[in-house]
Amino acid sequence: MQSMGVAIGLAVVTAFLHSNGMNALVSVGGQDQPPTPLPDLFGDRGYQLGFWVCAAASVVALVFALVMKHGRTPATGGTAH
């Protein structure tokens, strides 16, 4: 479950990063050009969304841990009572 959680979380955060890339305004000969996407540079918004998803997943995991039935019946030390 831990490996699956890491894989899903990484996929979600990567999707946020790639959908919120950085753009640059390039000026050629003094004339403004339309914003150009910069490959492999991620904007702040993608990181913010990724951290919010991680925080939400942590809260959900904490709630599950608190609601989950805890413990088992104690061992009897080998006696058959």
Side-chain angles (χ1 to χ4, degrees):
M1 288 303 296
Q2 181 179 2
S3 296
M4 190 166 71
V6 169
I8 292 170
L10 184 62
V12 168
V13 172
T14 302
F16 284 139
L17 288 175
H18 279 285
S19 66
N20 292 293
M22 293 186 75
N23 292 326
L25 294 175
V26 179
S27 177
V28 178
Q31 298 177 355
D32 290 336
Q33 302 293 321
T36 306
L38 299 173
D40 298 329
L41 289 177
F42 307 122
D44 292 338
R45 183 70 180 146
Y47 285 108
Q48 289 174 352
L49 290 172
F51 285 126
W52 280 115
V53 167
C54 291
S58 298
V59 168
V60 169
L62 178 65
V63 168
F64 279 145
L66 293 174
V67 172
M68 200 168 49
K69 183 178 177 182
H70 294 288
R72 298 182 292 183
T73 57
T76 59
T79 60
H81 291 275

